Amino acid sequence: MKTFLITGVSSGLGRAFAVGALAAGHTVVGTVRGQADAEAFEALAPGRAHARLLDVTDDEAVVAVVDEVESAVGPVDVAVANAGYGLEGIFEETPMSAVRAQFATNVFGAAATLQAVLPHMRRRRAGHLMAVTSMGGLMAVPGMSAYCGSKFALEGMLDSLRKEVAPFGIHVTALEPGSFRTDWAGRSMTRAERRVEDYDELFTPIREARIKASGNQLGNPERAAEALLHILDVPEPPGHLVLGSDALRLVTTARKALDDEIRAWEPLSRTTDFPDGAQLAGN
């Protein structure tokens, strides 16, 4: 049995991951923002469900909570940086304060969580670091520029981290869900105010369709939890785990379009080299 640390377990995928791990017999420390949520979480499995109040944008608090959990509950085997939210809005209409707040939670909150756990795992030469990014971290859609930008940033961070900690026996997995039946597109979504009519034809149908689909999404959170638990038992867990057939379809299409564009412009790309320059090594 393992000890999990999962941020943001009061609802959504974080809740599903925590419930799935508890049902499988694991111990879960889940972070929440309010006392009522803490009590409700601990009631799920007294003695194995441990709640901690935490704002993941408070770097010092994140470190303090992780260190306390390591001492009071036990070594963290699996850390899931899940806390985050969606910010919907046309790029031109989205206030910079909202963009910064999106990155503060989705990128820096996840980074703080994984960075706080990492020294403990490195000393033990074992552990699994995970973060919930999104299919929006591998492809982008109109009206979600800040959200997709935050998830692209997190993807890049995880890709680099994976190569840094592999020699220590630590695995890193980006979880990339599509649309799941959670509150993400409903009450949990922050929406920028509409003010530029030029975008109405493009964006109004997108926003209306997303609101209409909320509560009837394709993805089953319980099955996502099963997928997470499955990769804990494989010798070489994936660095990227796309969750949902909609995510597979959209990500595959977007990546093919990118590959096609790179190939189409390859001759021009090659014109920018010095003839005697040194090639970078890659891994």
Side-chain angles (χ1 to χ4, degrees), residues 100-115:
R100 290 190 176 94
Q102 178 82 121
F103 275 65
T105 297
N106 290 7
V107 182
F108 305 129
T113 300
L114 300 181
Q115 196 174 79

Side-chain angles (χ1 to χ4, degrees), residues 94-187:
T94 305
M96 283 305 303
S97 59
V99 176
R100 290 190 176 94
Q102 178 82 121
F103 275 65
T105 297
N106 290 7
V107 182
F108 305 129
T113 300
L114 300 181
Q115 196 174 79
V117 175
L118 181 53
H120 301 283
M121 290 186 174
R122 178 174 49 78
R123 283 191 287 269
R124 292 190 289 269
R125 292 299 197 264
H128 201 149
L129 298 171
M130 300 187 189
V132 178
T133 68
S134 168
M135 64 179 178
L138 298 174
M139 50 77 68
V141 295
M144 298 293 293
S145 58
Y147 178 77
C148 290
S150 72
K151 296 303 187 177
F152 267 74
L154 185 54
E155 286 279 343
M157 192 177 295
L158 295 172
D159 278 350
S160 182
L161 173 62
R162 188 177 303 111
K163 296 171 182 178
E164 293 173 357
V165 301
F168 309 133
I170 299 171
H171 301 296
V172 177
T173 298
L175 302 169
E176 294 135 349
S179 60
F180 274 78
R181 205 166 295 183
T182 68
D183 292 331
W184 181 85
R187 66 177 181 83

